């Protein structure tokens, strides 16, 4: 109740900023460029781990890749699942059937596929046991060392301990507590460059099966209407002919 989620939503534009400004790479983010900024750079994972209940893990990757004009295949999907320690997960499994911790890591994997440079995590350790907390923190730590920035709202001391920079919200003030400069690994850095569409285009249908289903219903409906119409009209013509005779 101190305003952690509200602060994140100010960045997303869901809560209007009354005073002050938001900058990224020395560029002010305002109403004119916020959508483009969020689309290209930011991924927000809320504390409810929102997933589409009628889509598999694979279909989640396909859905977001189409919106961002990215070509992917099964091998690429598996690569990103491996990065977040989900190599054992069947990508044809419904995302809603995953555990809370697994869903969070799937959403992080999708953010990596989309080449997001900033990942906002709202209370990421909520409803997680100790084992899943450790797996999530390991994922965050590994990716942070490769150039991904995580902005995390939390009251969990474990996250505070390994964070580079810590702010505390107290009495409506944002106070900087400490800075711990951690060494970045000199290993492979994730490539953050990608050719994305200039305009954001959202698909009317979430996946190909819905399109096929709609076409099938239209064809079946057209045939059925034609058959019924022909039968009724033939009956009427026959009765009129018999009446005249």
């Amino acid at each position: 109740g101190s305003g952690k989620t509200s602060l994140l939503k100010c960045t997303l534009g869901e809560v209007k900023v009354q005073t002050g400004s938001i900058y990224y790479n020395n560029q002010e983010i305002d109403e004119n460029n916020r959508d483009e900024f969020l689309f290209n750079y930011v991924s927000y994972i809320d504390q409810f781990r929102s997933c589409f209940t009628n889509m598999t893990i694979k279909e989640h990757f396909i859905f977001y890749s189409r919106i961002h004009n990215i070509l992917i295949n099964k091998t690429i999907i598996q690569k990103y699942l491996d990065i977040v320690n989900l190599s054992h997960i069947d990508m044809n499994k419904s995302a809603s059937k995953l555990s809370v911790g697994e869903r969070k890591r799937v959403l992080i994997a999708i953010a990596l596929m989309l080449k997001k440079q900033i990942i906002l995590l709202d209370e990421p350790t909520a409803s997680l046991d100790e084992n899943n907390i450790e797996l999530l923190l390991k994922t965050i730590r590994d990716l942070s060392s490769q150039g991904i920035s995580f902005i995390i709202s939390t009251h969990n001391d474990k996250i505070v301990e390994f964070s580079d920079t810590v702010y505390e919200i107290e009495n409506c003030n944002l106070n900087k507590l400490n800075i711990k400069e951690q060494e970045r690994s000199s290993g492979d850095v994730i490539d953050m460059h990608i050719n994305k569409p200039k305009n954001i285009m959202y698909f009317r249908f979430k996946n190909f099966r819905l399109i096929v289903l709609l076409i099938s219903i239209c064809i079946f409906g057209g045939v059925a209407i034609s058959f019924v119409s022909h039968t009724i009209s033939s009956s009427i013509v026959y009765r009129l002919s018999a009446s005249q005779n």
Side-chain angles (χ1 to χ4, degrees), residues 23-164:
Y23 285 83
Y24 179 68
N25 285 346
N26 298 319
Q27 181 181 7
E28 184 176 2
I29 307 302
D30 54 25
E31 297 299 326
N32 297 321
N33 61 6
R34 178 176 284 108
D35 287 343
E36 182 181 358
F37 164 69
L38 296 175
F39 183 71
N40 289 310
Y41 297 102
V42 180
S43 181
Y44 174 57
I45 301 176
D46 61 30
Q47 56 184 308
F48 304 108
R49 296 80 56 190
S50 302
C51 288
F52 296 111
T53 57
N54 64 331
M55 293 169 63
T56 64
I57 298 171
K58 179 181 178 181
E59 287 169 342
H60 273 79
F61 276 89
I62 293 174
F63 172 56
Y64 286 104
S65 66
R66 286 179 178 175
I67 292 176
H68 286 258
N69 196 29
I70 301 173
L71 295 177
I72 64 169
N73 53 38
K74 186 176 180 180
T75 302
I76 294 176
I77 295 175
Q78 189 61 56
K79 181 187 77 170
Y80 286 109
L81 291 176
D82 292 345
I83 292 176
V84 295
N85 302 304
L86 287 177
S87 55
H88 62 286
I89 294 295
D90 181 7
M91 66 179 67
N92 294 312
K93 184 178 182 179
S94 173
S96 61
K97 296 186 182 299
L98 298 174
S99 69
V100 173
E102 289 171 340
R103 287 206 301 272
K104 289 180 179 180
R105 282 183 280 153
V106 165
L107 293 175
I108 292 176
I110 292 173
L112 296 178
M113 175 196 69
L114 301 178
K115 307 298 183 184
K116 301 291 189 175
Q117 297 183 13
I118 304 171
I119 298 179
L120 306 182
L121 291 173
D122 193 5
E123 297 286 2
T125 58
S127 304
L128 294 184
D129 58 23
E130 288 298 320
N131 183 51
N132 273 300
I133 289 176
E134 289 299 328
L135 286 172
L136 181 63
L137 294 185
K138 181 181 183 302
T139 300
I140 295 173
R141 187 181 296 110
D142 292 344
L143 295 175
S144 177
S145 67
Q146 298 179 57
I148 310 295
S149 297
F150 286 88
I151 300 177
I152 306 172
S153 72
T154 187
H155 53 263
N156 189 301
D157 291 336
K158 286 190 175 182
I159 292 183
V160 173
E161 289 173 2
F162 82 85
S163 298
D164 294 329

Side-chain angles (χ1 to χ4, degrees), residues 164-231:
D164 294 329
T165 307
V166 180
Y167 289 87
E168 181 182 48
I169 298 178
E170 185 178 11
N171 298 325
C172 300
N173 291 317
L174 193 63
N175 304 316
K176 190 173 185 179
L177 296 186
N178 67 304
I179 299 178
K180 293 189 298 182
E181 296 294 339
Q182 297 182 350
E183 293 184 2
R184 299 301 182 182
S185 69
S186 57
D188 295 335
V189 176
I190 296 176
D191 180 16
M192 303 304 299
H193 300 286
I194 190 170
N195 294 322
K196 293 186 178 181
K198 293 182 179 179
N199 297 320
I200 303 175
M201 297 181 295
Y202 295 97
F203 286 77
R204 189 174 181 179
F205 303 98
K206 288 197 289 288
N207 55 53
F208 181 72
R209 288 187 300 177
L210 289 181
I211 299 177
V212 174
L213 179 62
L214 177 64
I215 294 175
S216 301
I217 291 175
C218 291
I219 294 175
F220 177 79
V223 172
I225 292 173
S226 300
F227 176 76
V228 172
S229 301
H230 176 73
T231 302

